Amino acid sequence: MSRNNYAGLVRWGIIGCGNVTEVKSGPAYQKTEGFELAAVMRRDIEKLKDYAKRHDVKKYYANAEDLINDDDIDAVYIATPPDTHMYYALKVAEVGKPCCIEKPLAPSYKESMIINEAFRIKKTPLFVAYYRRSLPRFNKISLWLKKDMIGEVRHINWHFCKPPNDIDLSGAYNWRTDPKIAPGGYFDDLASHGLDLFTFLLGNIKDASGISHNQQGLYAAKDTITACWIHESGVTGTGNWNFGSDRREDRVEILGSKGKIEFSVFKESPLQLKHDEEEETIFIKNPENIQIYHVENMKKQLLHKNYKHPSIGNTALHTSWVMDKILGN
């Protein structure tokens, strides 16, 4: 069967049906017309059977290669920790099936390049789950910028901090703070969302640098990062992320020659537009299955002509490069 001819239906398989697939992403593949969640894979067989039963998925595998090579599976969603993304992605690319990979694309720019190149050679679609590019709340900000509502954009700043959680304090293993999987710790998992969003809103970054450190000693990965960068357009950017503070804060400001925009990357806080001594506040709620628009946009590219998804291998590769630059890798 041609991977570009799905007869109106794309049958997806998920590798790694963990927490992110329970509500955020998995149901989106079932709710999107033209898509079907046909198989899931997890190494823990009891949890796998439970997931398949609860989500009404007919096929399940304890071995990823069996799912990848199943002729009844047209496309694969990789939802495992980042250190396994390249391993599974190269196997999916080899059989020429479209793929969506959870963010970040890989733990390093080098691995991200290898993944992206494999799909480029096969001329096979590669999507990455930077779903904020498809969310209405951030598309509203994009529209404000395109309409020059704050004039010429000058600078963007992101301040994000949060306290250590119970796992951090207990010393228990957490892949999100394992430097072999996430060199920047929570920065890799969380900041990647925002930095990718900023390139979507303001264009690619041409240079970036940063200072990273471990202040708390709770785990081996970095827990505080400060960065600066410049977009190809000349817009400058700064950011600071600290994962040992006394409170959680998430605040972004885009400054322009005639006003500014304020919003949060993760919180469902109102969007604020301030210009010409006027203020506009808009609240746009995220959907229950937050990846639904991202998944629907994949359908548009796979089943319809002349549509390009906003989050593909090339865009995620650029985000990986920015992350590496900030961490000094």
Side-chain angles (χ1 to χ4, degrees):
M1 164 179 158
S2 168
R3 295 300 168 201
N4 295 316
N5 182 13
Y6 305 100
L9 179 66
V10 181
R11 298 165 296 182
W12 283 85
I14 297 179
I15 297 175
C17 45
N19 288 339
V20 72
T21 69
E22 288 285 354
V23 177
K24 288 183 176 182
S25 61
Y29 289 84
Q30 296 170 307
K31 294 179 179 181
T32 297
E33 186 178 353
F35 278 7
E36 176 188 347
L37 180 53
V40 291
M41 174 272 166
R42 188 171 186 166
R43 286 178 293 182
D44 187 318
I45 192 67
E46 293 305 317
K47 290 182 178 180
L48 172 65
K49 290 179 178 179
D50 175 65
Y51 185 98
K53 182 179 180 180
R54 287 186 293 105
H55 291 274
D56 194 26
V57 182
K58 295 178 182 178
K59 284 188 176 184
Y60 51 86
Y61 296 98
N63 184 292
E65 292 189 35
D66 291 339
L67 182 149
I68 292 169
N69 291 295
D70 186 339
D71 288 337
D72 291 331
I73 299 300
D74 303 310
V76 179
Y77 167 35
I78 299 171
T80 58
D83 62 323
T84 59
H85 286 181
M86 185 173 76
Y87 177 80
Y88 292 128
L90 294 183
K91 292 184 179 298
V92 176
E94 185 178 350
V95 298
K97 296 183 179 182
C99 185
C100 179
I101 302 177
E102 263 304 323
K103 59 81 213 162
L105 180 53
S108 69
Y109 177 57
K110 180 179 179 180
E111 288 191 12
S112 297
M113 281 196 296
I114 293 171
I115 294 171
N116 194 54
E117 181 67 6
F119 282 88
R120 187 195 67 79
I121 290 172
K122 284 285 188 174
K123 298 181 180 179
T124 302
L126 172 61
F127 309 99
V128 183
Y130 285 117
Y131 55 83
R132 279 170 176 76
R133 289 174 174 250
S134 295
L135 283 176
R137 62 184 278 108
F138 299 114
N139 284 325
K140 182 65 174 180
I141 295 172
S142 178
L143 182 62
W144 281 343
L145 293 172
K146 288 176 181 177
K147 288 185 173 181
D148 296 323
M149 298 298 287
I150 60 170
E152 294 184 14
V153 179
R154 305 298 192 204
H155 183 77
I156 183 168
N157 177 70
W158 184 18
H159 166 69
F160 181 91
C161 63
K162 77 176 190 68
N165 58 35
D166 291 340
I167 297 177
D168 301 334
L169 296 172
S170 73
Y173 178 76
N174 180 2
W175 68 260
R176 289 178 172 82
T177 54
D178 182 343
K180 295 179 181 178
I181 299 175
Y186 292 113
F187 174 80
D188 290 23
D189 186 37
L190 300 175
S192 59
H193 267 300
L195 291 168
D196 183 83
L197 174 64
F198 301 162
T199 62
F200 170 66
L201 295 173
L202 302 172
N204 281 351
I205 291 169
K206 66 179 182 179
D207 197 12
S209 62
I211 299 171
S212 57
H213 185 56
N214 185 305
Q215 293 179 328
Q216 304 173 89
L218 295 176
Y219 40 77
K222 306 296 186 180
D223 64 10
T224 183
I225 295 93
T226 299
C228 61
W229 63 87
I230 184 167
H231 293 263
E232 292 176 354
S233 62
V235 175
T236 56
T238 52
N240 65 288
W241 303 266
N242 191 286
F243 304 102
S245 67
D246 70 323
R247 69 196 69 195
R248 187 182 181 100
E249 294 180 345
D250 176 11
R251 183 176 65 255
V252 180
E253 288 184 321
I254 302 178
L255 307 178
S257 60
K258 296 181 180 179
K260 70 175 181 177
I261 298 169
E262 296 179 1
F263 63 96
S264 297
V265 174
F266 296 103
K267 292 193 302 182
E268 279 191 301
S269 60
L271 311 177
Q272 292 186 310
L273 171 64
K274 301 178 181 181
H275 63 111
D276 297 330
E277 299 182 354
E278 295 181 7
E279 293 190 16
E280 182 178 353
T281 300
I282 296 178
F283 179 76
I284 301 176
K285 185 175 177 60
N286 287 330
E288 177 188 10
N289 311 117
I290 202 164
Q291 291 196 25
I292 187 71
Y293 295 107
H294 167 80
V295 174
E296 288 178 348
N297 283 339
M298 289 196 294
K299 180 198 75 172
K300 291 179 184 178
Q301 179 166 327
L302 293 175
L303 296 181
H304 305 287
K305 296 181 180 179
N306 302 321
Y307 181 83
K308 184 177 181 180
H309 196 282
S311 182
I312 57 176
N314 282 338
T315 60
L317 177 63
H318 180 70
T319 299
S320 292
W321 175 80
V322 173
M323 299 283 287
D324 264 19
K325 291 281 286 184
I326 290 173
L327 291 173
N329 298 332

